[in-house]
Amino acid sequence: MAGSRLTNYLHFIWAMTEKEIKARYKHTVFGFLWVILNPVFQMFVIGFVFSFFVYIPVANYYLFLFSGLLPWQFFSLTLSKATPSFVYERSLLQKANFPREAIPLSIVLSNFVHFVVSLVLLIVFLGLSKSIVFPQALYLLPASILLLLFTASVSLLTATLQVKYRDINFFVQSLLILWFYATPIVYNLALIPSRFVILYYFNPLSYIFELFHVSVLSTSLPDIRLFLVNIFSMGLIILFSYLLYKREHRTFVDWL
Amino acid sequence: MSNVAVQLSHISKKYVVHHEKPTLVENIFKRTTSEAFWALRNINLTIHKGEKIGIIGPNGSGKTTLLKIIAGITAPTTGAANIYGRVVSLIELKAGFHPDLTGEENILLNGLLIGMSKDEIRNKITSIINFADIGSFIDAPFYTYSNGMALRLGFSIAVHAEPEILVLDENMAVGDEKFGQKSQKKMEQFFRQNKTIILVSHDLDFVKDSCTLTILMTGGKITKMGKSPAIVKYYRNTM
């Protein structure tokens, strides 16, 4: 019984995710091809803009950029879409008693599928240009998993808060702009004066993005203490969002 | 305990009513005024399996809130609600469909949403489609559906979920006359079976004829509960 309940739960989460993915490409000529076309196009535009207009002294800057911008795209797009998701799906919440977390989680997972596709493209590209390095390339796996976990819990947190406090969505939009520059995405920590590096300990995304950079360019990993501090604060955020969601989700409908 | 379907003990439900202020300045500098509104006060109720319960009472007496708690859509502020068996509500029938997905894709999604398993939906999908009388629209996107078709599909999925506890708010008119009769028949079938049915209605004659027990609610409390004819008669006299 417990086993079948779990399979039903997973089926449900996956069906919701599938809905997100399918609905996005319905009535398009290229259909699922957009999953690949979009990130490729994005890569060229981003690469063009940053390599011509912004100069940052990093070897293989093009590759370096992709390795930071692809995960950032995943994180920021997911967070902006998931935050108002409970409010948008109010009629669904009023209909039945189902696991409510499926609403933001389906957005997280559908974007993660897109992210993984673009990551695979990046790896293929690396392989073709013979610039793939082992074992550093394997860092992509833990980096992606940590990013998925963090994105899921922050999305659940902001979506939960948005039900009662509708300012959260605007706050998230502003926060994402700041967060973009406060995270080593288009630069890396080696370029930061050492007295400022301490600030990056407050950003749980710092180490994850450094991992993404390293896995592609095999530069050196930052201080292990940064990892420990980041993991610890991530853990706190995950715990907090879970507890808050658990307390609030049963009465979401009262605010919608 | 095994023949109990719904057990509510000391249920109260508080809503916080916010009074909106017109400007941002007032919002920041004046204290927000909000007041508590108790929609339900200390409700104790045991519903046995197979009982047909009608809930009547004036507007604002807490009928719908009680229904929402039984359906698990919201939670009580205090007290405990224990529900034994699959609850399906025939409210918001048109919700949970994605306009861009086909009828078939939507059936899977909607079925999972109300608690069916994937296998269950696969086995019943032909029957669901036939009952809803969707015809060739089944592989067309949902936005091409008429209002009636959407309602019919929602109703068809809900009844195929084979609920043990069925929750109804008001009398729903589903689609045209033909489908109205069909759904009426299905409902009558449910009433004959050993299913627990809880319905809120202002149609007193319907409640009197179809429900074994009736609950009269006023001001968030259960004022009276008993055999339907007696309660309906009492309510009519005191109105």
Side-chain angles (χ1 to χ4, degrees):
Chain A
M1 186 62 205
S4 77
R5 195 178 286 173
L6 181 67
T7 24
N8 282 350
Y9 179 78
L10 294 177
H11 278 156
F12 178 59
I13 300 274
W14 180 245
M16 292 283 283
T17 308
E18 223 177 14
K19 174 201 83 173
E20 283 291 322
I21 298 173
K22 269 188 190 163
R24 196 182 311 188
Y25 299 109
K26 278 277 154 119
H27 320 303
T28 57
V29 177
F30 289 111
F32 284 101
L33 210 57
W34 278 115
V35 180
I36 296 169
L37 288 179
N38 241 341
V40 168
F41 191 66
Q42 233 172 44
M43 278 188 193
F44 279 110
V45 173
I46 290 165
F48 178 78
V49 170
F50 278 93
S51 54
F52 277 90
F53 299 111
V54 188
Y55 179 72
I56 289 173
V58 174
N60 285 326
Y61 190 56
Y62 222 67
L63 286 177
F64 178 83
L65 268 179
F66 297 150
S67 68
L69 284 168
L70 292 177
W72 176 257
Q73 288 278 354
F74 161 67
F75 179 73
S76 65
L77 288 177
T78 304
L79 199 58
S80 346
K81 202 174 173 199
T83 303
S85 60
F86 282 134
V87 179
Y88 283 163
E89 298 285 4
R90 51 172 59 146
S91 64
L92 212 59
L93 294 170
Q94 275 153 356
K95 182 189 172 76
N97 178 16
F98 60 92
R100 272 110 209 227
E101 65 273 20
I103 292 173
L105 279 187
S106 63
I107 294 169
V108 176
L109 290 175
S110 70
N111 282 345
F112 191 69
V113 169
H114 287 92
F115 168 63
V116 169
V117 170
S118 49
L119 212 56
V120 169
L121 283 176
L122 182 67
I123 293 168
V124 169
F125 187 64
L126 284 174
L128 287 178
S129 65
K130 296 203 169 52
S131 45
I132 196 158
V133 198
F134 283 100
Q136 279 91 333
L138 297 175
Y139 290 160
L140 283 174
L141 193 67
S144 305
I145 291 170
L146 285 176
L147 185 66
L148 175 63
L149 265 178
F150 188 68
T151 310
S153 55
V154 176
S155 298
L156 190 64
L157 179 67
T158 55
T160 301
L161 288 171
Q162 171 76 1
V163 173
K164 274 192 198 174
Y165 311 102
R166 303 288 163 89
D167 305 65
I168 292 296
N169 198 25
F170 299 106
F171 174 72
V172 166
Q173 295 311 318
S174 312
L175 180 73
L176 280 173
I177 297 171
L178 176 70
W179 213 338
F180 176 77
Y181 293 103
T183 306
I185 299 166
V186 295
Y187 57 87
N188 64 9
L189 285 184
L191 296 169
I192 300 294
S194 53
R195 61 202 155 103
F196 292 128
V197 169
I198 184 80
L199 292 174
Y200 287 86
Y201 282 73
F202 294 102
N203 180 0
L205 287 175
S206 301
Y207 200 89
I208 296 179
F209 277 84
E210 286 289 277
L211 263 183
F212 275 113
H213 288 323
V214 171
S215 56
V216 170
L217 287 171
S218 66
T219 43
S220 61
L221 274 174
D223 200 330
I224 188 75
R225 280 175 300 179
L226 181 65
F227 174 72
L228 294 175
V229 171
N230 279 181
I231 285 288
F232 181 71
S233 53
M234 261 177 74
L236 284 184
I237 291 171
I238 292 171
L239 186 70
F240 179 69
S241 85
Y242 171 73
L243 291 177
L244 187 80
Y245 169 77
K246 205 177 156 202
R247 200 189 73 183
E248 296 291 328
H249 80 276
R250 278 156 57 81
T251 53
F252 275 165
V253 181
D254 301 352
W255 301 86
L256 296 172
Chain B
M1 217 44 194
S2 62
N3 68 337
V4 172
V6 174
Q7 175 89 55
L8 305 178
S9 31
H10 305 290
I11 294 264
S12 296
K13 177 74 185 175
K14 182 174 81 174
Y15 284 105
V16 181
V17 185
H18 289 281
H19 298 286
E20 265 191 48
K21 285 195 237 60
T23 65
L24 180 70
V25 179
E26 282 178 272
N27 257 316
I28 294 170
F29 293 106
K30 286 189 179 175
R31 272 193 62 223
T32 40
T33 50
S34 58
E35 50 189 300
F37 167 73
W38 289 90
L40 294 177
R41 297 161 198 267
N42 199 24
I43 301 278
N44 288 295
L45 178 64
T46 305
I47 298 172
H48 297 278
K49 283 197 176 131
E51 280 181 340
K52 324 291 177 213
I53 308 275
I55 304 175
I56 58 172
N59 284 329
S61 56
K63 304 185 295 291
T64 303
T65 307
L66 188 67
L67 223 51
K68 276 186 185 167
I69 287 174
I70 293 171
I73 291 165
T74 189
T77 311
T78 58
N82 292 307
I83 315 293
Y84 307 95
R86 179 186 286 178
V87 190
V88 168
S89 60
L90 290 189
I91 40 185
E92 299 274 344
L93 280 177
K94 281 191 294 173
F97 291 116
H98 194 290
D100 287 324
L101 297 182
T102 67
E104 208 166 339
E105 288 165 333
N106 266 309
I107 290 173
L108 176 69
L109 197 65
N110 214 304
L112 288 169
L113 199 75
I114 61 172
M116 292 165 90
S117 73
K118 217 170 177 173
D119 292 335
E120 212 179 335
I121 300 165
R122 259 195 219 115
N123 292 336
K124 289 176 185 163
I125 193 153
T126 338
S127 168
I128 292 172
I129 296 167
N130 289 339
F131 188 84
D133 208 5
I134 298 298
S136 58
F137 273 83
I138 195 61
D139 45 17
F142 195 73
Y143 68 77
T144 60
Y145 284 41
S146 71
N147 201 30
M149 288 164 80
L151 272 172
R152 262 146 47 200
L153 193 59
F155 181 84
S156 180
I157 298 167
V159 295
H160 279 86
E162 286 175 24
E164 287 149 276
I165 303 166
L166 194 65
V167 168
L168 305 159
D169 199 355
E170 291 303 333
N171 292 328
M172 354 131 285
V174 185
D176 55 10
E177 199 172 335
K178 190 177 143 220
F179 192 77
Q181 287 169 359
K182 208 166 160 187
S183 60
Q184 198 66 38
K185 235 185 223 162
K186 192 82 192 174
M187 292 311 296
E188 280 164 16
Q189 194 185 325
F190 275 151
F191 270 99
R192 279 194 304 272
Q193 288 166 349
N194 190 34
K195 292 193 187 299
T196 312
I197 299 177
I198 303 157
L199 67 94
V200 163
S201 184
H202 286 289
D203 184 349
L204 296 178
D205 286 321
F206 176 68
V207 171
K208 194 174 75 183
D209 295 339
S210 49
C211 299
T212 45
L213 289 170
T214 296
I215 294 167
L216 172 61
M217 290 188 72
T218 36
K221 289 179 184 151
I222 296 179
T223 332
K224 251 180 173 1
M225 181 174 175
K227 293 254 186 278
S228 296
I231 302 291
V232 169
K233 199 176 164 194
Y234 172 84
Y235 181 54
R236 280 200 165 123
N237 290 338
T238 52
M239 275 291 276

